[in-house]
Amino acid sequence: MDIFTVFSIIGTIAFAVSGAIVAMEEEYDILGVYVLGLVTAFGGGVIRNLLIGVPIPMIWTQGMLLKTAVIAMTVAFVLPIKWIKTWKKSEAFFDAIGLSAFAIQGALYATGKYPLSAVVVAAMLTGIGGGMIRDVLAGRKPLVLRDEIYAVWAMSAGAAIGLGWFDSPVELLILFAIVIVFRMLSVHYGWRLPRRSLKYALSQSVYEDENREAAKKEHKEGERQ
């Protein structure tokens, strides 16, 4: 079993269970659990393949990974509530495992075939694509667009592999651990990318405009009297 397959299996299990648990939180039936789990596990790879020109039907050649995902989702569905609560407490950690594994898998997929920019994008989309689709189908704001630094770690892993800094299986395992550590540090310390919120400013602007209009009406009524 090569290192590419190892990371594929790790990412598939982590994201399939993640999707299944989100589906159960949203009270989906068992079909919804399987659909959301499969989308989370394979959605990123499908988006990556679309972008770099790999035929989408390639996903159906991954029989072992599909079986792995189905087994992982079935186990998640029948797990006792106590165990699911334990998973939820460590959700960020398992999510980091999936992110790291799939980012490296995506980068390995594109390395040697495409330029560095494509390797970075392939790593990012493989790492975050499935989670974004999962959140949209579950009616949630995508985690990657609002939470702590997330996609940056996938892009960094892709850049490191594309530049040839991590090449051997041992080096890739070290990179796998590094991405997990930095993802968990960003969760622990709340590291975030710069953001600018217009929600409060625009609501205040609308409120002030309404007050102005009300004051003008009162003034006109006062003049008429």
Side-chain angles (χ1 to χ4, degrees):
M1 186 180 295
D2 60 19
I3 196 69
F4 179 87
T5 305
V6 170
F7 285 120
S8 297
I9 292 173
I10 293 172
T12 297
I13 293 173
F15 277 179
V17 174
S18 169
I21 289 179
V22 168
M24 288 187 282
E25 288 177 343
E26 298 298 327
E27 300 184 347
Y28 290 5
D29 60 21
I30 189 168
L31 177 61
V33 169
Y34 283 117
V35 169
L36 212 58
L38 288 172
V39 163
T40 308
F42 296 99
V46 170
I47 295 173
R48 176 202 64 211
N49 290 356
L50 273 173
L51 190 66
I52 64 178
V54 176
I56 299 303
M58 282 289 291
I59 187 175
W60 304 119
T61 66
Q62 301 175 324
M64 183 188 69
L65 293 179
L66 287 168
K67 291 176 184 176
T68 301
V70 170
I71 293 171
M73 290 182 291
T74 304
V75 170
F77 188 77
V78 300
L79 277 178
I81 294 297
K82 181 174 67 174
W83 289 18
I84 293 178
K85 286 181 178 178
T86 303
W87 169 281
K88 289 296 294 179
K89 288 178 182 178
S90 307
E91 184 177 20
F93 176 68
F94 289 107
D95 188 72
I97 291 175
L99 172 72
S100 181
F102 269 173
I104 293 172
Q105 186 243 48
L108 291 173
Y109 202 89
T111 298
K113 306 172 188 175
Y114 303 96
L116 177 62
S117 57
V119 175
V120 172
V121 172
M124 179 186 71
L125 290 178
T126 311
I128 72 173
M132 289 184 68
I133 300 173
R134 173 201 65 201
D135 291 341
V136 170
L137 291 179
R140 302 179 176 186
K141 292 181 179 179
L143 175 73
V144 64
L145 300 180
R146 61 181 173 82
D147 201 16
E148 301 85 4
I149 296 175
Y150 191 88
V152 172
W153 305 129
M155 295 171 67
S156 300
I161 292 172
L163 291 169
W165 295 348
F166 295 85
D167 189 26
S168 70
V170 173
E171 290 172 343
L172 290 172
L173 287 171
I174 292 172
L175 178 61
F176 173 65
I178 289 173
V179 173
I180 293 174
V181 168
F182 274 97
R183 168 59 185 154
M184 294 310 297
L185 285 174
S186 66
V187 171
H188 181 74
Y189 291 106
W191 295 343
R192 296 178 182 272
L193 294 173
R195 66 174 63 188
R196 183 183 181 190
S197 176
L198 295 178
K199 186 175 180 180
Y200 177 75
L202 291 175
S203 64
Q204 284 294 103
S205 176
V206 171
Y207 179 72
E208 290 171 1
D209 290 343
E210 290 176 350
N211 283 346
R212 251 189 248 107
E213 289 297 323
K216 284 180 182 178
K217 286 180 181 178
E218 288 180 5
H219 181 68
K220 287 179 181 178
E221 290 174 0
E223 287 180 344
R224 287 173 185 170
Q225 292 175 357

